[in-house]
Amino acid sequence: MRNPLGIPTYDNMMCELLQALKKLGGSGTISEIDDKTIEILALLSEVQEVMHGNSSKTEVEYRLAWTKTYMKKAGILENSSRGVWSLTTKGRELETINPKEIVQKVRNMTLLKTKDGKIINTEDENLENDGVDTPDEIQPWREKLKNILLNLKSDAFE
């Protein structure tokens, strides 16, 4: 859905952003990706010039930043280095995406940050008690933590 100025919402630019990255060979700088996405969307120059509040970014750039963030959380994009975004293996394999599913998936996530800075998604298989990367004495605690977090998450939505 677009607002009266014709600026698409962040979720309504996901398909075009995926298409832009594919046309750029799978990665690009923020400005390259934004420019290609805007080109695909065929946004009028008046729309492109609308500033986001008092910031130095345009409203389209601001919304595209959120588009990238959501797609990163869904595992489609990654920040390969500062200012550079790339398609993940999953992203390269996708022909199309459903923005509503991505938004729902991201909103349903519960992310945790471990002491070493690793981000864990409670819906991710990384919390499974697979025994591959943890000593035997830690596995029961991982399982307890997973259950506590999942219960907290479900309690929050009741």
Side-chain angles (χ1 to χ4, degrees):
M1 178 177 290
R2 294 176 186 237
N3 62 13
L5 296 174
I7 304 170
T9 58
Y10 73 93
D11 54 326
N12 284 322
M13 294 190 280
M14 288 181 182
C15 295
E16 290 80 3
L17 193 138
L18 176 66
Q19 185 181 355
L21 267 165
K22 287 188 180 258
K23 287 186 176 192
L24 291 169
S27 69
T29 64
I30 293 170
S31 61
E32 289 171 335
I33 297 165
D34 288 358
D35 290 347
K36 184 58 78 175
T37 306
I38 290 166
E39 177 186 315
I40 292 167
L41 287 164
L43 296 178
L44 300 173
S45 59
E46 301 85 50
V47 172
Q48 295 177 48
E49 294 167 2
V50 175
M51 299 305 291
H52 176 73
N54 294 327
S55 75
S56 61
K57 284 188 171 193
T58 67
E59 188 64 30
V60 173
E61 291 169 333
Y62 175 79
R63 293 179 186 193
L64 280 168
W66 277 109
T67 305
K68 291 181 207 80
T69 299
Y70 269 71
M71 291 174 73
K72 178 182 179 180
K73 289 181 179 186
I76 298 167
L77 300 181
E78 63 185 350
N79 246 142
S80 53
S81 63
R82 185 170 173 85
V84 177
W85 290 85
S86 303
L87 291 170
T88 61
T89 302
K90 174 183 174 181
R92 286 189 297 275
E93 293 171 353
L94 294 172
E95 292 297 320
T96 60
I97 56 174
N98 183 331
K100 288 181 182 181
E101 286 178 9
I102 292 171
V103 171
Q104 191 60 48
K105 178 179 180 168
V106 172
R107 288 182 180 169
N108 288 338
M109 286 180 175
T110 302
L111 301 177
L112 299 173
K113 192 170 188 177
T114 62
K115 279 200 250 181
D116 62 354
K118 183 178 177 184
I119 301 293
I120 298 174
N121 173 3
T122 58
E123 293 181 351
D124 194 355
E125 64 277 358
N126 290 336
L127 281 180
E128 291 302 318
N129 190 358
D130 57 15
V132 172
D133 62 347
T134 57
D136 291 342
E137 64 270 12
I138 296 177
Q139 290 179 31
W141 288 103
R142 275 182 86 175
E143 193 60 34
K144 283 182 185 179
L145 176 60
K146 177 183 175 185
N147 291 332
I148 289 168
L149 292 171
L150 291 174
N151 288 333
L152 285 174
K153 182 180 170 187
S154 63
D155 290 347
F157 293 106
E158 289 180 356

